[in-house]
């Protein structure tokens, strides 16, 4: 059932598509092309812009990392400078057998105490030589077991930076211990010309590094963290959560990255990673920006572009409709003017001429064709009118001899019977008949004149038939001024007399009626004769029967032909008959006064 419904809907769509107008085709075509083009251009521009924006954001992060690297480098160089100053400016110039470095170490600490937690010098065997600001080691602390000490012992030629840790090796009066990053190096200690190896320890304040990264992480998108060469985290904005196992970081993988930008998928999300290595420490500054945050600042731009795209599409659709209307309106007006021609109007002035040059030329061509068609049709109508007039005159010429023959036959009969008064009366009636028959050459007369003509004819026939039949005339006065073709009732009366009541003995009746029905005029001649057999009745109005029967035999066919020719096939003569009952001949014509006929309405019909 659904398949049938779908097929029906598809057929409806196909039928509708066949009826589509030029305006619809132009509007839809231009709109589709415009929308596709706009969509392609918009997507291309948007993709290019987003990619460029991502590149710009990554480049900005690189600049931030570079700035951070420079700041951290400056800080570390400062700490290394403190270590160098202590070593080369103090320790190398002292003989520790008799000299002390406490004063110089205190001075150096005071000068850099904002970034330092402590400075200490430890001998190779773990003895504390000097420290600032506190020179008392906590009981139970073995320097040789500290990570910074063992690292320095393993590689004595470099500076060594430890992981962040709490420095709690020295006694503190307020019991406050700080997070530090220890910078340690191997130094030569002088004892009366003998050199012994020791370790110089500079504990950098971890909060200084923390503040550097915190300031950076408060700005921009994503976050920045610091790792050592092994990937161990030195600083992370969510360091406690990581140590607590609440979140993870891809720090081990980041340690293997070369300096520069990288795209990685971690923990189910894509993100951009920028890496910068601090050369002499091996530390790496890592900037992480989720891909979603790279494009987040451009969500508003995306919404704005969608609004612009929607408004532009609306303007394109509206513009296409307006332009297509401007283009197709002249064609539509030309089509409308052609519809009036299709309906039969040949008024060339109604043919639209406007629009573009091509449409104006087409309109002028059609107007010229309409003028030619109208001239040809006028000539054709004129020819038809002349032909119809000739046919009517020929039919009229058939009637006059026919009637004259019958009447003169009756006059001859009366003269032979020496009935001169009756013959004179008949000739007088005949003269009156011919006067109406001539009608100054007009084939159209009023019904009143046609009834007068019928009365004169009946007067003649009653004399001939010695009043063997009765004739009754009943015509509605409202139609007496309406027009009719002359000499159409007389042949019907003639047929009723010859073929119906003429042979009856004082029982024949002929009723003549005239009335209006449904806006038409009806003239009816009824007799009470023997009726007409069906096989004869069927051919009475055809040309084949015009020579059969008594008299000339052309009356009925003649009447029907003349009415058809003049008033077209909608009107004419009809015959009904029943055996032993009688016959009814009915004429149907349009109701029209002589004034209307003279005004030309009759010709239109």
């Amino acid at each position: 059932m659904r398949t049938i419904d779908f097929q029906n809907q598809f057929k409806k769509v196909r039928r509708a598509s066949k009826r589509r107008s030029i305006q619809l085709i132009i509007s839809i075509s231009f709109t589709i092309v415009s929308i596709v083009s706009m969509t392609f251009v918009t997507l291309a521009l948007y993709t290019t812009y987003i990619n460029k924006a991502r590149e710009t954001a990554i480049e900005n992060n690189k600049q931030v990392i570079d700035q951070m690297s420079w700041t951290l480098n400056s800080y570390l160089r400062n700490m290394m400078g403190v270590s160098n100053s202590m070593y080369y400016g103090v320790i190398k110039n002292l003989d520790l057998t008799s000299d002390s470095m406490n004063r110089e170490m205190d001075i150096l600490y005071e000068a850099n105490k904002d970034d330092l937690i402590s400075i200490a010098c430890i001998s190779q065997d773990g003895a504390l030589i000097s420290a600032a600001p506190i020179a008392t080691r906590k009981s139970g602390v073995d320097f040789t077991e500290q990570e910074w000490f063992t690292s320095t012992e393993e590689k004595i030629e470099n500076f060594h930076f430890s992981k962040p840790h709490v420095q709690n090796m020295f006694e503190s009066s307020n019991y406050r211990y700080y997070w530090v990053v220890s910078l340690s190096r191997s130094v030569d200690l002088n004892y009366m010309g003998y050199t012994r190896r020791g370790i110089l320890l500079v504990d950098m304040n971890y909060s200084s590094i923390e503040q550097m990264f915190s300031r950076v992480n408060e700005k921009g998108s994503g976050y920045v963290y610091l790792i050592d060469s092994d990937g161990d985290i030195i600083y992370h904005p969510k360091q406690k959560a990581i140590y607590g196992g609440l979140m993870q970081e891809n720090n081990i993988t980041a340690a293997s990255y070369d300096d520069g930008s990288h795209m990685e998928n971690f923990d189910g999300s894509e993100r951009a990673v920028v890496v910068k290595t601090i050369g002499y420490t091996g530390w790496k500054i890592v900037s992480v920006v989720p891909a979603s945050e790279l494009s987040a600042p451009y969500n508003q731009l995306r919404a704005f572009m969608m609004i612009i795209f929607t408004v532009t599409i609306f303007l394109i659709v509206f513009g296409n409709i307006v332009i297509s209307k401007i283009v197709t309106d002249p064609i539509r007006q030309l089509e409308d003017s052609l519809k009036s021609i299709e309906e039969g109007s040949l008024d060339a002035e109604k043919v639209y001429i406007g629009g573009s040059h091509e449409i104006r030329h087409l309109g002028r061509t059609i107007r010229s064709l309409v003028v030619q068609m109208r001239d040809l049709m006028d000539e054709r109508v004129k020819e038809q009118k002349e032909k119809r007039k000739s046919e009517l005159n020929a039919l009229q010429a058939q009637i006059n001899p026919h009637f004259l023959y019958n009447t003169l036959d009756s006059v001859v009969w009366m003269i032979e019977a020496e009935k001169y008064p009756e013959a004179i009366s008949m000739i007088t009636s005949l003269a009156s008949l011919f006067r109406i028959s001539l009608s100054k050459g007009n084939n159209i007369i009023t019904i009143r004149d046609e009834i007068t003509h019928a009365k004169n004819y009946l007067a003649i026939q009653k004399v001939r038939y010695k009043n063997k039949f009765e004739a009754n005339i009943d015509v509605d006065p409202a139609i007496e001024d309406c027009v009719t073709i002359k000499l159409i009732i007389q042949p019907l009366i003639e047929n009723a007399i010859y073929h119906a009541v003429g042979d009856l003995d004082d029982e024949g009746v002929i009723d003549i009626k005239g009335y209006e029905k449904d806006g038409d005029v009806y003239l009816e001649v009824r007799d009470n004769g023997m009726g007409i057999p069906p096989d004869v009745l069927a051919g009475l109005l055809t040309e084949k029967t015009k020579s059969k029967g008594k008299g000339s035999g052309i009356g009925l066919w003649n009447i029907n032909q003349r009415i058809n020719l003049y008033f077209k096939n909608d009107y004419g003569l009809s015959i009904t008959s029943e055996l032993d009952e009688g016959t009814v001949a009915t004429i149907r014509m349009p109701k029209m006064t002589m004034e209307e006929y003279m005004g030309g309405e009759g010709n239109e019909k």
Side-chain angles (χ1 to χ4, degrees), residues 522-576:
Y522 289 84
L523 299 176
E524 186 179 285
V525 178
R526 181 188 299 269
D527 66 67
N528 62 343
M530 296 301 294
I532 304 172
D535 56 336
V536 177
L537 182 65
L540 277 179
L541 299 181
T542 63
E543 190 174 359
K544 294 180 181 180
T545 62
K546 66 180 182 178
S547 61
K548 295 180 181 180
K550 189 175 180 180
S552 65
I554 62 173
L556 299 180
W557 177 81
N558 184 291
I559 294 170
N560 192 52
Q561 283 295 102
R562 287 196 294 151
I563 296 173
N564 289 161
L565 286 170
Y566 197 86
F567 296 119
K568 299 184 181 178
N569 293 332
D570 293 339
Y571 302 98
L573 174 65
S574 62
I575 306 293
T576 60

Side-chain angles (χ1 to χ4, degrees), residues 488-489 492 521-524 559 563 572-573 585-589:
I488 58 174
I489 296 180
L492 298 179
V521 170
Y522 289 84
L523 299 176
E524 186 179 285
I559 294 170
I563 296 173
L573 174 65
T586 304
I587 295 172
R588 175 173 170 253
M589 296 180 297

